[in-house]
Amino acid sequence: METVGHIEVTRTEADWTLTGSLHEWLVTVDHKRLGLMYVVSALVFMVIGGVLAIVMRAQLAVPDNTLVPPDVFNRLFTMHGTTMVFLVGMPFLAGLANYLVPLMIGARDMAFPRLNAFGYWIFVFGGLLLYFSYIGGEGMAGHGTAPDVGWFAYSPLTEHPFSRGTSTDYWILSITLTGIGSISSAINVIATTLSMRCKGMTLARMPLFVWLLVVVSGMILVAIPPLTAAQVMLLLDRYLGAHFFDTQAGGSAVLWQHFFWIFGHPEVYILMLPGFACASEIIPVFSRKPMFGRAAMVGATVSIGFIGLGVWAHHMFTIGMPPAANTFFVASTMLVAVPTGVKIFNWIATMYGGKIWFATPMLFCVGFLFQFLIAGLTGVMLAAAPFDWQLSDSYFVVAHFHYVLLGGLLFTLFAGIYYWFPKATGRMLDETLGRWHFWLLVIGFHLTFDTLHFAGILGMPRRIYTYAAGRGWEGVNLVASMGVVFQTAAILCFIWNVVRSLEHGKEAGNDPWDAWTLEWATSSPPPEYNFAKLPEVRSSRPLWDIKHPADPDWKYE
Amino acid sequence: MSSDVLHAVTNIFRPASTPAQSIYTLSMLVLAVCGAIFLTVAGVLTYTIVRFRRPSFDIDREPPQVYGSNQIEIAWTVIPVLIVIVLTMATARVISEVQNRRPSADAMSITVVGHQWWWEIRYPALGVVTANELHVPVSAPARPRPVFLRLESVDVAHSFWVPQLAGKTDLIPNRSNTMWIEPKVEGVFLGNCAEFCGMQHANMLLRVIVESADEFSKWVSLQRQNARRDHPGEQIFLSLSCINCHAVGGTAAAGLFGPDLSHLMSRQTLGAGVIPNTPANLRRWIRDPQVMKPGNLMPNMQLSDRELDQVHSYLLSLR
């Protein structure tokens, strides 16, 4: 151990490693182990959800295809959507938060380690319950049927007259369970950042990553309860004869939509902001400049959080709302574009004038910037309600939100994995394989999702299991399906890279990227207690201060 | 006839009706603004990654550390706000143009009712009931004929979408929505149900047949004819459970669960657009509707060959 400046930096061999008995992993309450378990579980579910998507694209590659029957197809897209949102996006963000927040704020663990473990396991059981429906669920077609009502499960399709058996109940219960997991992890992040920051780390000096995850956690606390309430109401409808959404007894189909989307739209930002959080750490380090307009970034994040709570009905422009309501949601939705734009401008300004190092994490961030720019602009198109009357529920929307969640979120998550993998494992991921991974994913992503915008413009609705020849949809669908081949190859590259690098990767050392936040001040992987002595910071870039004693940040902050 | 022209490619940027045209005009404005923003931002981004790539020499020296600038932040907040205001106002104008249009006294009003997985179409003023194919007169400059649709559903949520004629509007149970179209071009316009509604959502297809005023009134008078036939198959048909779900005007068949069959053979397709309405297809459909549209709510009726022949020939007589 040695002391550099005023931070004590661990230089010892890590006494915490990735090994350990299965029992140790099962009973762990360590934030780093739970973080890794979250991330690995999310990646496993991502592969499963991806396989569902491959089958769907195979079915849609050519018109009048009979590869997949309609009932199976409906289960595929329901399970794909539910998996990617609730079993990939949410646990991924919980994993990042768990692993990184305590390290970044100089704490030894999360505020509530047992709650943390509880949140993880309840998410795992929720996910397993959802997939158990493929064996144990009971639907119209008999035993072994998964949910088939779409990931937003519009009523009254989910009511007993239209959804017999138990497949919808599996959906309701597993979503409710994962929601409990998300809420417990959100409470934990907020409590940890409010009460466990190291000496000198004021809110103003807190890394942007932590700031964004605090905002995300606040949004989770506001957005998940309406969803849980709606699920409970739906269960009451189905089993106790309540009539919330049961239109045949006077219930309201629109009520479900309001409940769902007042969760569902903030959810989009909940999923996306952790991506922004990764980009806000990685872009400065690889441009060798501090984040341009830190305060503006925090302000933009908080305003996205607030405005994001008031835009939900833009998912409902086609339900026949009065013109005044439509106009309100047009205005609020377009307004979100402003803070989002500010973020993009700040990232570009951070790169401008820097010395950009295109290592794999940065490649993914640059891909993210281009793709998220397009995703934002197609979002503005969808926000113009009359344009949305055409595009809503078409393949244009499918392309748009895959641009957000794949082109935006997944790219930044991969950037994050390449960036923090050395910290978590002590080994670097391979750069060459990383480049293959990146370029294959870029090619596959654009082949698939650029073309699907055009399918929507040509009037192709989403969630159809087949389409007739002659409507002009053949070409775009074939190209979109071919893109999947490249995307699959990219993911295989990534998996191979992880497996290989765990054993044979280059030794990372404590600080392979010459970065500035506290997680790089401890060993890789960090010891169980994170820091031998809790650090003390004087600026938002404590390691910069140490490395440049003649020109420290705290002089300017 | 020009009303036979099939507009098979439903490109939203090839509008053929007033509301679709208003939407198209707005779309072009939004696309232009978004395109300009894309070119500007992507241009700056491209310049940045090319110009500020780390040089191979002089790696160790850090670039000047710039922390931000309030003036710049304000500039790139205010400019987008102005753009948002312009786009919101342009959008509000089109919302009002489309949603605030009120029917004139003589405007035609049609009720469309969504079913799993077909469309019931009623012309209350004309006493016509049909399914899956909406006939409307073309709107000529000399005689504008906007058509107002009242949209309802008997089961789950559906959505009426014929892209070249108008944006989509949902059919929601326990709720009555309205929309309107004003087709300027004759021909057959295709559409789909655009809200997931269960097993056969994909094959809940729509056609709107836009015809000249003469053709339309001929069609109406045909639809209003008594469907009663002196046909040997009629008794067989009426004795089977077909009539629990289907209606044939003037007979005891008055079911409301399935499409009205009074003038079945005047329609172009069967099974809500899943196959062309030819005698051979009709026979296959009656024999087992589950083959062509698996999961649809008409079961295989297990007709004997004789019953099948007679029902088939009876239905063929319903023109």
Side-chain angles (χ1 to χ4, degrees):
Chain A
M1 208 169 297
E2 59 184 292
T3 309
V4 184
H6 47 275
I7 295 189
E8 205 158 88
V9 181
T10 313
R11 296 288 188 207
T12 51
E13 275 299 304
D15 53 355
W16 183 88
T17 62
L18 289 174
T19 54
S21 68
L22 180 64
H23 179 257
E24 280 170 38
W25 281 89
L26 287 178
V27 301
T28 188
V29 292
D30 180 85
H31 75 98
K32 296 179 291 300
R33 287 193 169 191
L34 285 166
L36 291 178
M37 285 153 76
Y38 262 121
V39 169
V40 171
S41 313
L43 288 172
V44 169
F45 278 118
M46 188 179 83
V47 170
I48 297 172
V51 170
L52 302 177
I54 292 172
V55 180
M56 282 192 282
R57 281 315 321 167
Q59 162 70 8
L60 292 173
V62 291
D64 299 311
N65 199 356
T66 53
L67 179 70
V68 179
D71 46 344
V72 175
F73 189 88
N74 296 344
R75 282 175 219 140
L76 286 174
F77 68 69
T78 305
M79 293 294 274
H80 171 79
T82 308
T83 302
M84 291 305 193
V85 171
F86 295 100
L87 306 181
V88 179
M90 298 300 275
F92 215 118
L93 91 84
L96 283 176
N98 264 307
Y99 198 94
L100 293 168
V101 166
L103 285 171
M104 284 186 167
I105 62 171
R108 296 206 195 278
D109 203 323
M110 297 289 274
F112 309 116
R114 281 160 182 268
L115 180 68
N116 205 3
F118 168 79
Y120 171 75
W121 288 107
I122 203 114
F123 140 71
V124 172
F125 287 126
L128 293 179
L129 186 67
L130 184 70
Y131 275 88
F132 179 70
S133 65
Y134 263 116
I135 307 163
E138 188 191 324
M140 292 276 270
H143 280 281
T145 50
D148 57 358
V149 288
W151 88 274
F152 42 80
Y154 271 8
S155 72
L157 192 60
T158 48
E159 295 285 340
H160 253 154
F162 308 105
S163 177
R164 301 201 163 273
T166 55
S167 61
T168 302
D169 304 313
Y170 276 96
W171 183 83
I172 295 171
L173 291 173
S174 68
I175 301 296
T176 309
L177 287 181
T178 61
I180 294 170
S182 298
I183 286 185
S184 58
S185 119
I187 291 172
N188 219 341
V189 170
I190 293 174
T192 307
T193 44
L194 288 187
S195 57
M196 296 177 70
R197 297 191 309 279
C198 68
K199 211 171 165 194
M201 183 166 286
T202 59
L203 285 178
R205 292 176 189 162
M206 204 162 70
L208 270 178
F209 182 94
V210 182
W211 255 111
L212 266 72
L213 280 154
V214 171
V215 174
V216 166
S217 301
M219 293 180 79
I220 287 177
L221 292 187
V222 179
I224 300 270
L227 175 70
T228 308
Q231 307 282 20
V232 172
M233 289 153 85
L234 185 54
L235 271 183
L236 291 175
D237 272 14
R238 287 174 64 84
Y239 285 99
L240 295 176
H243 302 304
F244 293 108
F245 315 118
D246 175 6
T247 47
Q248 291 181 322
S252 166
V254 173
L255 182 65
W256 170 269
Q257 299 189 16
H258 280 295
F259 267 104
F260 191 88
W261 290 120
I262 206 163
F263 149 77
H265 202 83
E267 171 71 9
V268 175
Y269 299 111
I270 290 169
L271 292 174
M272 200 55 234
L273 287 180
F276 291 173
C278 294
S280 302
E281 291 302 319
I282 295 167
I283 290 175
V285 168
F286 288 85
S287 306
R288 309 309 305 159
K289 280 177 63 202
M291 187 70 223
F292 189 92
R294 241 181 81 83
M297 286 299 268
V298 172
T301 306
V302 174
S303 44
I304 288 177
F306 276 106
I307 303 171
L309 297 174
V311 301
W312 77 93
H314 70 218
H315 294 267
M316 299 160 61
F317 280 144
T318 63
I319 66 157
M321 283 189 294
N326 279 334
T327 307
F328 173 83
F329 285 104
V330 168
S332 65
T333 305
M334 290 210 176
L335 203 56
V336 185
V338 176
T340 314
V342 166
K343 277 174 172 292
I344 293 182
F345 302 146
N346 276 313
W347 285 317
I348 297 177
T350 304
M351 292 158 64
Y352 194 94
K355 281 184 171 176
I356 306 171
W357 173 19
F358 286 103
T360 313
M362 189 60 177
L363 278 182
F364 275 101
C365 281
V366 171
F368 150 77
L369 284 176
F370 277 105
Q371 287 151 196
F372 191 74
L373 173 63
I374 297 175
L377 292 171
T378 53
V380 170
M381 297 175 201
L382 289 164
F387 205 174
D388 183 78
W389 294 334
Q390 288 287 16
L391 298 174
S392 172
D393 270 316
S394 78
Y395 259 90
F396 190 92
V397 170
V398 174
H400 160 74
F401 68 71
H402 281 91
Y403 245 83
V404 175
L405 293 178
L406 211 168
L409 178 61
L410 188 64
F411 270 65
T412 48
L413 293 182
F414 279 133
I417 290 178
Y418 279 87
Y419 182 63
W420 282 296
F421 186 91
K423 178 50 58 185
T425 65
R427 304 264 179 187
M428 306 294 286
L429 281 168
D430 186 68
E431 273 291 305
T432 315
L433 277 172
R435 269 154 214 279
W436 275 98
H437 172 200
F438 172 74
W439 285 109
L440 284 169
L441 194 60
V442 165
I443 294 169
F445 167 75
H446 286 278
L447 279 177
T448 302
F449 294 106
D450 294 11
T451 47
L452 288 183
H453 286 103
F454 295 98
I457 287 168
L458 294 176
M460 180 167 171
R462 66 196 281 202
R463 297 177 165 178
I464 56 174
Y465 76 95
T466 190
Y467 53 93
R471 296 198 58 183
W473 302 341
E474 296 92 334
V476 281
N477 275 290
L478 186 60
V479 174
S481 293
M482 289 191 311
V484 173
V485 177
F486 290 87
Q487 294 185 54
T488 310
I491 300 300
L492 291 177
C493 269
F494 167 67
I495 294 173
W496 173 235
N497 197 351
V498 169
V499 171
R500 200 173 146 265
S501 302
L502 277 176
E503 279 293 315
H504 307 290
K506 215 168 63 182
E507 292 273 351
N510 291 352
D511 183 15
W513 310 113
D514 192 5
W516 303 313
T517 38
L518 282 179
E519 76 270 30
W520 306 104
T522 185
S523 60
S524 307
E528 195 171 351
Y529 43 84
N530 291 350
F531 302 95
K533 188 172 169 225
L534 286 183
E536 185 180 344
V537 302
R538 298 176 73 182
S539 81
S540 61
R541 294 197 298 171
L543 269 63
W544 170 277
D545 296 346
I546 294 170
K547 291 167 187 170
H548 301 86
D551 179 32
D553 262 8
W554 51 264
K555 278 192 183 165
Y556 307 100
E557 279 186 4
Chain B
M1 278 182 288
S2 49
S3 63
D4 294 337
V5 178
L6 178 66
H7 300 268
V9 179
T10 51
N11 187 342
I12 63 168
F13 294 145
R14 298 286 297 278
S17 154
T18 311
Q21 177 68 44
S22 309
I23 295 174
Y24 170 74
T25 313
L26 175 69
S27 314
M28 287 301 123
L29 171 73
V30 177
L31 271 178
V33 171
C34 290
I37 297 172
F38 174 75
L39 289 179
T40 314
V41 179
V44 174
L45 179 54
T46 309
Y47 172 79
T48 306
I49 61 178
V50 173
R51 168 72 183 72
F52 298 105
R53 167 181 280 276
R54 184 176 67 172
S56 49
F57 55 92
D58 189 27
I59 290 182
D60 289 335
R61 204 154 53 91
E62 301 281 15
Q65 303 292 299
V66 179
Y67 297 89
S69 147
N70 286 340
Q71 286 89 333
I72 294 178
E73 297 290 347
I74 288 168
W76 65 37
T77 306
V78 170
I79 296 170
V81 167
L82 296 178
I83 297 175
V84 161
I85 290 173
V86 170
L87 284 180
T88 303
M89 295 198 341
T91 305
R93 189 190 159 103
V94 177
I95 290 176
S96 159
E97 222 171 87
V98 175
Q99 283 198 291
N100 287 339
R101 174 85 178 241
R102 296 280 165 261
S104 58
D106 63 336
M108 187 179 332
S109 176
I110 302 173
T111 302
V112 179
V113 184
H115 293 253
Q116 281 181 321
W117 293 277
W118 62 281
W119 311 86
E120 174 186 343
I121 296 167
R122 292 178 172 269
Y123 298 69
L126 302 173
V128 170
V129 181
T130 182
N132 303 325
E133 294 168 16
L134 184 69
H135 284 252
V136 293
V138 71
S139 185
R143 181 152 188 238
R145 305 266 314 252
V147 174
F148 287 79
L149 305 178
R150 190 184 157 88
L151 305 175
E152 291 168 0
S153 168
V154 296
D155 39 44
V156 300
H158 304 277
S159 192
F160 184 100
W161 189 28
V162 183
Q164 288 178 279
L165 301 186
K168 61 184 72 65
T169 307
D170 296 351
L171 299 81
I172 298 171
N174 264 0
R175 187 182 169 97
S176 181
N177 275 335
T178 53
M179 65 178 279
W180 61 285
I181 55 176
E182 191 184 8
K184 303 279 177 73
V185 184
E186 290 179 28
V188 179
F189 293 91
L190 298 185
N192 289 63
C193 175
E195 187 65 79
F196 179 63
C197 55
M199 178 104 148
Q200 273 295 348
H201 164 62
N203 284 319
M204 186 166 165
L205 304 165
L206 253 173
R207 359 190 101 202
V208 177
I209 296 150
V210 181
E211 7 183 54
S212 67
D214 285 349
E215 283 175 285
F216 179 71
S217 35
K218 247 174 30 204
W219 177 81
V220 170
S221 56
L222 183 82
Q223 298 294 310
R224 293 174 65 157
Q225 275 171 18
N226 195 335
R228 186 81 228 258
R229 294 281 181 282
D230 260 339
H231 191 281
E234 189 182 81
Q235 280 316 309
I236 299 283
F237 177 79
L238 293 176
S239 71
L240 292 166
S241 44
C242 309
I243 63 171
N244 292 343
C245 295
H246 293 287
V248 176
T251 73
L256 290 170
F257 199 67
D260 185 296
L261 301 179
S262 304
H263 301 280
L264 175 66
M265 295 317 290
S266 69
R267 302 210 277 264
Q268 299 174 351
T269 64
L270 293 172
V274 74
I275 41 170
N277 185 5
T278 62
N281 276 343
L282 179 62
R283 197 183 154 86
R284 284 166 61 212
W285 179 271
I286 306 165
R287 184 196 294 276
D288 186 3
Q290 297 300 320
V291 173
M292 282 148 281
K293 192 169 174 177
N296 88 78
L297 298 182
M298 175 167 168
N300 179 342
M301 302 306 293
Q302 314 284 354
L303 301 185
S304 67
D305 281 351
R306 196 179 134 264
E307 288 168 334
L308 178 63
D309 285 340
Q310 291 191 314
V311 169
H312 182 228
S313 110
Y314 170 63
L315 292 181
L316 284 176
S317 76
L318 298 176
R319 309 205 155 268

